[in-house]
Amino acid sequence: MRKLSIGLVLLALVMSGLIGMYFSGAFDTENQSQSVSVEVGQPAPDFTLYNQKGEGYSLSSLKGQVVLVNFWATWCPPCRSEIPSMEELYVNYHRGGLELLAVNIEPEGPEIIDAFTLENPHSFPVIFDRDGKVQNRFGVFKFPETFIINKQGIIVERVVGAIDWTAPEVLSYLNKLMQE
C-alpha cells in the first residue's frame, strides 16, 4: 500500500509539472518557432511588463544597474527553492546597484500571486508575462532561468536552473559587476 501511495504522489507531481509546462506554452511549437534565443555578450532585449498593481518595469530604464531577469512559475519546485536566497540577495544589494525582476510566465499569474506570496514571502518585484512574448524573446523554456545583465545592458550570464544567490562565488561575481 505504501508503494502505491508513493507512486501516486510521484505521478501527481509529474502530471502537475506537465500541466504547468502546457499552460506556460512549453509545448506550443508555434511560439517556440517565433522565439529568439539571446546569447551572452548581446544586448538584452528591452521590454516593459507590469506588476499586480499595474506599475510598469522597463529593462531600458534600469541601465546603470546590474539586473537579474528571472523567469519563473509558481508550479515550479526549483523556482520556489531559490526564492529565499533571491530575497536575501535583493534585500542586501537592491540599494547597492542591483535590481531583480522576477518575470512570472503564467497566464493566471496576477490572480494566484497573493496566495503564493503568503507561502513564499518576498519583497522583490514580480512582473507578469501573461502572453509569453518576453519569455519567447529571451528564448526561455526551462525554469527557472535567469539572465544577469551588466550596467551597460549586456547579458553577461545565463543561468538555467535554481542556484543559491547568496553563495560566496555568486556574491563575488555580482559585486564585481556592480563595481565596474
Side-chain angles (χ1 to χ4, degrees), residues 47-57 70-74 101-114 116-117 122 124-135:
F47 62 83
T48 301
L49 292 173
Y50 299 87
N51 67 12
Q52 192 177 27
K53 296 177 184 175
E55 300 165 329
Y57 289 81
N70 174 266
F71 291 88
W72 71 286
T74 60
L101 298 177
V103 180
N104 179 277
I105 53 86
E106 298 165 280
E108 70 281 6
E111 291 82 26
I112 60 177
I113 195 67
D114 286 338
F116 178 81
T117 301
H122 59 274
F124 52 80
V126 174
I127 53 181
F128 300 97
D129 185 23
R130 295 176 82 154
D131 59 9
K133 287 183 180 174
V134 175
Q135 173 191 346

Side-chain angles (χ1 to χ4, degrees), residues 4-5 22-23 26-27 31 39 49 53 61 65 68 81-82 118 123 129 144-145 147 154 169 172-173:
L4 178 61
S5 296
Y22 172 79
F23 284 115
F27 300 124
N31 280 343
E39 301 293 331
L49 292 173
K53 296 177 184 175
S61 71
Q65 296 184 66
L68 276 62
S81 73
E82 74 177 353
L118 287 174
S123 59
D129 185 23
E145 189 159 340
F147 293 82
I154 305 298
E169 61 275 9
S172 175
Y173 179 74

Side-chain angles (χ1 to χ4, degrees), residues 40-156:
V40 170
Q42 293 180 336
D46 192 23
F47 62 83
T48 301
L49 292 173
Y50 299 87
N51 67 12
Q52 192 177 27
K53 296 177 184 175
E55 300 165 329
Y57 289 81
S58 295
L59 188 57
S60 59
S61 71
L62 298 172
K63 276 200 177 162
Q65 296 184 66
V66 173
V67 181
L68 276 62
V69 178
N70 174 266
F71 291 88
W72 71 286
T74 60
W75 48 259
C76 165
C79 301
R80 289 173 177 251
S81 73
E82 74 177 353
I83 288 176
S85 70
M86 290 174 68
E87 174 65 9
E88 187 176 335
L89 176 72
Y90 182 76
V91 167
N92 291 327
Y93 289 86
H94 175 64
R95 301 216 188 286
L98 179 116
E99 183 60 77
L100 169 61
L101 298 177
V103 180
N104 179 277
I105 53 86
E106 298 165 280
E108 70 281 6
E111 291 82 26
I112 60 177
I113 195 67
D114 286 338
F116 178 81
T117 301
L118 287 174
E119 295 176 22
N120 303 277
H122 59 274
S123 59
F124 52 80
V126 174
I127 53 181
F128 300 97
D129 185 23
R130 295 176 82 154
D131 59 9
K133 287 183 180 174
V134 175
Q135 173 191 346
N136 287 336
R137 287 185 70 199
F138 277 78
V140 172
F141 294 99
K142 297 177 185 171
F143 304 104
E145 189 159 340
T146 306
F147 293 82
I148 302 175
I149 302 165
N150 70 12
K151 292 179 178 183
Q152 293 75 38
I154 305 298
I155 298 169
V156 294

